[in-house]
Amino acid sequence: MKYTTKALIAAMTLCMSASAFASSHREAPSITKTPKVDASDFYMFNSYENNRSDYVTIIANYLPLQDAYGGPNYFALDPDALYEIHIDNNGDAVEDITFQFDFTQNLNSIELDTDNDPSTANVAIPLSNAGDASNSANVQTSESYNVTMVKGDRRSGSRTSLGNFDKPFDYIGTKSFKDYPTYARGFIQPLNLGSCGTGKVFVGQRAEGFAIDLGKVFDLVNLNPLDTRTSGTNILADKNVTSIAMEVPKSCLVNSTGNDPVIGAWTTASVRQATLVNPSPESGISTTAKKGGAWTQVSRLGMPLVNEVVIGLKDKDKFNASEPKDDVDNFAPYVFYPTLPKLIEILYGDVGAVAPTNFPRQDLVTAFLTGIPTVNKPANDNQVPADMLRLNTNIPAVAADNQNDLGLLSIIDAQTDGLPNAGADTAGFPNGRRPGDDVTDIALRVSMGALCHSGLDAKVIPCAPTDAKAGEGLFTDGALKTAKGFDSVFPYLKTPTPGARSSTTDDQ
């Protein structure tokens, strides 16, 4: 079927719409109805906090595009959902370890005697808090969560409870919280993982870490992908997310029976199959419906931008419900014959954006479905190609000040004899993903054939410069945020934007 240029531009606009291109925010039709289980960003990297080189940090962000002033209910996670982080440590695209997070929301109804008459009932207040919110007695609702580690199949494997923990309340504002950063740090807790050691866990509201110029994207993709990397505006800068963050000893994650340092990971959220709406809910919270049945996966995220700009619209819900082991059967054509490069060529061919011609796109398969040999490809000769973040736990972390926000693509400017040298930042995306990695620019460039110009041996990246005429182009969305824009200690993402600011207090 042939399409007109006008139709393709319309398709490009849809493909890169703000609800899709913001890493994984509202990326599929059904997930827009249940934002509490919408996974927005997924990070996994060798910890670069001082004296934590033996640990891996994993962060799964949910409930995207939070307006900081979203009271009085703010942004509790779903107590009827199951949030999970899955680890594959043998390359078969099936979870070997799963960390499950199960949330409970509690009510502490605060009621006032409004008429000073002891014979009449007190009346519940409408706000979230009645005083200093760092004192839990002044807050009407609280959240706790249980962490369970599952070895083997996520539903039938061996289960170990790792403890129950409290979640900080969202950042209402500077009057309710005098020192929110200190308050939130108090919820970073040790996570006892038994024989392999002790890690850390934190769940709470954080500042949105993803950067994108959404205004121009909405305006009929009114951005030039060959413009300067600071030409855009990050209009997500005042949004918040809810982070599920873990720091886990490497020895807990890698395959103990082999000698392979590479792990793969992805995050999912599941809900119960059935919902019965209560037409006459009682007073309280979570009384409006009864839910039951088997857990059903409705959200999935591994590599950023896959369901947004790779998977076709008709299959986005299908992708969210699928498992990595089935990716080749379900979605291979989207990687072998991607539409995004052709759409970019149609829109911006006049400024040098020419789509690669090496079909099927084995360079994309290498970067996103198998991992790159000598960097983050598992040792398993029978590896199953699948969409997940892959991290070589043996590659040393790079301190924030020295990180290259283009991650592994820095190899293009720093390589010798077809292999990375010390000048390349091989600790970054797509070898895992750090908060400061500019995954939008990296994905755009890899999509347009940048790895064909990497100088790597054809056995490593099966394409050549002649396959990708625009591969050396500096493709960008124009919004830039580097590692220096984040904390250098766990949980790395910054203090959230407060819902209200006092006139005398700067942003934390």
Side-chain angles (χ1 to χ4, degrees), residues 110-125:
I110 298 175
E111 302 174 359
L112 300 179
D113 180 1
T114 58
D115 61 0
N116 298 317
D117 184 348
S119 66
T120 58
N122 292 344
V123 180
I125 67 171

Side-chain angles (χ1 to χ4, degrees), residues 81 117 196 215 251 263 311 384 441 451:
D117 184 348
C196 61
S251 59
I263 58 175
I311 304 299
V384 176
D441 284 9
L451 290 177

Side-chain angles (χ1 to χ4, degrees), residues 128-473:
S128 293
N129 59 306
D132 178 6
S134 63
N135 181 348
S136 60
N138 294 329
V139 182
Q140 293 217 78
T141 61
S142 63
E143 289 178 272
S144 60
Y145 60 96
N146 189 69
V147 184
T148 301
M149 180 171 63
V150 183
K151 296 289 187 71
D153 181 89
R154 66 182 79 174
R155 299 291 172 258
S156 62
S158 174
R159 303 171 61 84
T160 302
S161 176
L162 302 182
N164 191 268
F165 306 91
D166 292 326
K167 173 180 174 290
F169 202 81
D170 293 343
Y171 196 177
I172 298 169
T174 54
K175 184 175 182 180
S176 294
F177 287 103
K178 301 301 182 184
D179 185 1
Y180 191 86
T182 299
Y183 162 78
R185 281 196 296 272
F187 291 83
I188 299 173
Q189 296 293 323
L191 188 66
N192 186 348
L193 291 149
S195 60
C196 61
T198 300
K200 296 179 185 179
V201 66
F202 170 85
V203 177
Q205 192 179 51
R206 296 282 90 189
E208 171 64 82
F210 194 77
I212 188 81
D213 191 350
L214 285 185
K216 289 186 177 180
V217 172
F218 263 134
D219 185 21
L220 295 178
V221 199
N222 187 20
L223 56 85
N224 182 350
L226 292 171
D227 208 338
T228 64
R229 298 188 67 208
T230 56
S231 60
T233 301
N234 176 25
I235 64 171
L236 297 183
D238 63 347
K239 303 295 185 182
N240 294 326
V241 294
T242 299
S243 294
I244 298 173
M246 307 175 68
E247 189 180 58
V248 181
K250 295 177 181 180
S251 59
C252 293
L253 300 175
V254 297
N255 192 329
S256 59
T257 61
N259 190 30
D260 189 354
V262 174
I263 58 175
W266 67 101
T267 185
T268 64
S270 300
V271 298
R272 295 296 187 181
Q273 281 183 329
T275 299
L276 181 65
V277 177
N278 186 352
S280 301
E282 298 177 356
S283 298
I285 55 175
S286 302
T287 66
T288 60
K290 294 291 185 182
K291 300 185 179 183
W295 288 117
T296 303
Q297 182 180 306
V298 295
S299 181
R300 170 189 166 191
L301 179 60
M303 295 288 268
L305 304 171
V306 170
N307 205 12
E308 298 70 36
V309 298
V310 177
I311 304 299
L313 180 63
K314 68 176 184 178
D315 285 327
K316 290 183 182 296
D317 289 330
K318 180 178 180 179
F319 179 87
N320 270 345
S322 66
E323 297 184 28
K325 65 182 178 61
D326 300 318
D327 283 350
V328 171
D329 290 337
N330 288 334
F331 310 112
Y334 290 119
V335 179
F336 287 140
Y337 306 97
T339 57
L340 179 61
K342 187 63 178 178
L343 295 172
I344 292 176
E345 177 183 272
I346 291 171
L347 284 169
Y348 298 105
D350 58 336
V351 292
V354 181
T357 58
N358 55 312
F359 298 112
R361 291 288 303 276
Q362 293 293 339
D363 57 321
L364 297 187
V365 171
T366 300
F368 297 116
L369 297 186
T370 67
I372 299 173
T374 76
V375 180
N376 66 339
K377 187 179 188 300
N380 185 353
D381 291 335
N382 297 313
Q383 178 192 9
V384 176
D387 167 50
M388 64 179 77
L389 271 181
R390 290 180 179 81
L391 174 70
N392 187 331
T393 60
N394 278 355
I395 292 180
V398 175
D401 287 347
N402 297 322
Q403 288 179 19
N404 189 315
D405 64 289
L406 291 177
L408 196 58
L409 278 196
S410 59
I411 190 175
I412 294 176
D413 298 319
Q415 57 81 32
T416 304
D417 299 328
L419 293 174
N421 66 16
D425 187 358
T426 58
F429 182 76
N431 180 29
R433 178 187 175 189
R434 305 168 299 197
D437 290 339
D438 192 341
V439 295
T440 301
D441 284 9
I442 296 171
L444 278 171
R445 295 180 186 199
V446 171
S447 177
M448 297 302 289
L451 290 177
C452 299
H453 294 261
S454 64
L456 290 171
D457 188 279
K459 294 179 181 179
V460 177
I461 299 295
C463 61
T466 53
D467 298 320
K469 296 180 181 179
E472 292 182 306

